[in-house]
């Protein structure tokens, strides 16, 4: 039973799906975590894999970039493929001075400048929040020393912006004074779709650059290594 964007059967997906933006990263994650990963969908090159980790079923699928793309895949996975939890794994730009390149954000909430959640309930500024159980599982995994030798793990809010290259003057500084940890482009949409379907969602993000301090930006190689830290937390949440 294919949907417009996923050519698979419901039993092809595990109850938990990790979702990086890049489908090639989904493939690398599947190969890193699983010996038995099999390709379950490749519509538009958006690769999805299912296998087992420690004997537990897990899927990994690309989401594409931005809230519309994420919303399409999350909606189909939750509504048609029996998926119960989605954990976004990706990168974010640092905003708060507390956050350094290589640190990890467990995004407990996501502000947004997008209209996607604004349209959900007329007259309401929807609060896009993570599932508490998943956030706690990721946090517990970081406390248990499973986050490797990388940076600090922060719990707090991010901003999910629609523009990558355009930012209203002063907005980043104002977000920093309101304790916002970082910027990415998908979490608010994921949390909105999860709320709509009564499912669980979390975003675990590696800081790849800092918008207000460019001194410590990461190389491509460092990005991959540090990404492993956040992946460990995401897997712990997915299988919790
Ligand atoms: N903006 C949006 N998304 C991002 C950024 C950014 O600066 N850095 C990493 N992901």
């Amino acid at each position: 039973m294919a949907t417009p964007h996923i050519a698979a059967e419901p039993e092809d997906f595990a109850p938990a799906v990790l979702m990086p933006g890049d489908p090639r990263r989904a493939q690398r994650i599947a190969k890193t975590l699983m010996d038995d990963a099999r390709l379950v969908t490749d519509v538009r090159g958006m690769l999805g894999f299912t296998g087992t980790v420690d004997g537990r079923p897990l899927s990994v699928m690309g989401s594409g970039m931005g809230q519309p793309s994420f919303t399409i895949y999350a909606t189909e996975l939750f509504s048609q493929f029996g998926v119960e939890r989605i954990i976004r794994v990706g990168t974010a730009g640092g905003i708060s001075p507390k956050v350094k390149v290589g640190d990890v954000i467990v995004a407990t909430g996501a502000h947004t400048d997008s209209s996607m959640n604004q349209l959900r309930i007329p007259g309401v500024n929807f609060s896009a929040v993570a599932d508490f159980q998943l956030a706690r599982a990721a946090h517990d995994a970081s406390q248990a020393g499973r986050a490797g030798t990388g940076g600090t793990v922060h719990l707090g809010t991010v901003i999910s912006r629609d523009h990558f290259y355009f930012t209203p003057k002063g907005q980043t500084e104002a977000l920093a004074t309101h304790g916002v940890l970082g910027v990415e482009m998908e979490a608010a949409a994921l949390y909105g779709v999860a709320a709509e379907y009564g499912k669980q969602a979390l975003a675990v993000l590696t800081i790849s650059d800092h918008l207000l301090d460019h001194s410590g930006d990461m190389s491509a190689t460092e990005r991959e290594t540090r990404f492993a830290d956040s992946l460990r937390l995401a897997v712990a949440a997915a299988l919790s």
Side-chain angles (χ1 to χ4, degrees):
M1 180 223 52
T3 53
H5 307 93
I6 301 174
E9 298 299 321
E11 58 271 22
D12 287 331
F13 279 92
V17 184
L18 301 183
M19 297 193 78
D22 177 358
R24 292 272 178 220
R25 183 167 266 171
Q27 188 170 41
R28 284 201 295 278
I29 291 171
K31 288 196 172 146
T32 305
L33 294 177
M34 308 167 185
D35 297 326
D36 56 353
R38 67 186 176 93
L39 182 71
V40 292
T41 182
D42 63 356
V43 179
R44 290 174 181 248
M46 199 55 78
L47 309 175
F49 300 86
T50 296
T52 55
V53 174
D54 298 333
R56 311 266 309 277
L58 185 69
S59 295
V60 191
M61 182 173 171
S63 68
M65 289 179 281
Q67 301 196 48
S69 181
F70 208 114
T71 296
I72 288 169
Y73 294 111
T75 299
E76 293 182 13
L77 288 170
F78 282 145
S79 69
Q80 306 296 320
F81 292 94
V83 170
E84 294 297 326
R85 45 175 69 164
I86 292 177
I87 294 95
R88 161 162 156 71
V89 284
T91 56
I95 288 185
S96 164
K98 288 184 198 155
V99 164
K100 307 293 173 212
V101 169
D103 287 359
V104 173
I105 298 175
V106 175
T108 53
H111 309 288
T112 187
D113 58 8
S114 168
S115 64
M116 293 194 76
N117 285 336
Q118 206 180 333
L119 296 172
R120 289 187 171 280
I121 308 170
V124 168
N125 287 327
F126 182 84
S127 293
V129 294
D131 179 79
F132 176 71
Q133 188 193 332
L134 295 186
R136 184 168 59 182
H139 176 257
D140 288 353
S142 75
Q143 295 299 298
R146 284 191 273 176
T149 54
T152 308
V153 177
H154 306 264
L155 275 90
T157 59
V158 295
I159 170 108
S160 302
R161 277 183 183 142
D162 275 348
H163 278 279
F164 187 91
Y165 290 111
F166 171 80
T167 308
K169 203 167 170 356
Q171 190 193 75
T172 301
E173 292 75 5
L175 288 165
T177 65
H178 285 75
V180 176
L181 299 172
V183 52
E184 51 83 83
M185 303 185 74
E186 293 86 10
L190 168 61
Y191 295 172
V193 180
E196 181 181 355
Y197 289 95
K199 307 283 186 170
Q200 296 177 293
L202 181 67
V204 181
L205 308 160
T206 307
I207 300 297
S208 58
D209 54 284
H210 201 292
L211 271 62
L212 301 176
D213 172 12
H214 285 285
S215 59
D217 287 3
M218 276 198 286
S219 68
T221 319
E222 278 178 312
R223 266 178 212 231
E224 283 304 318
T225 318
R226 297 290 179 84
F227 187 71
D229 294 335
S230 58
L231 186 58
R232 270 187 287 277
L233 305 189
V235 171
L239 301 180
S240 64

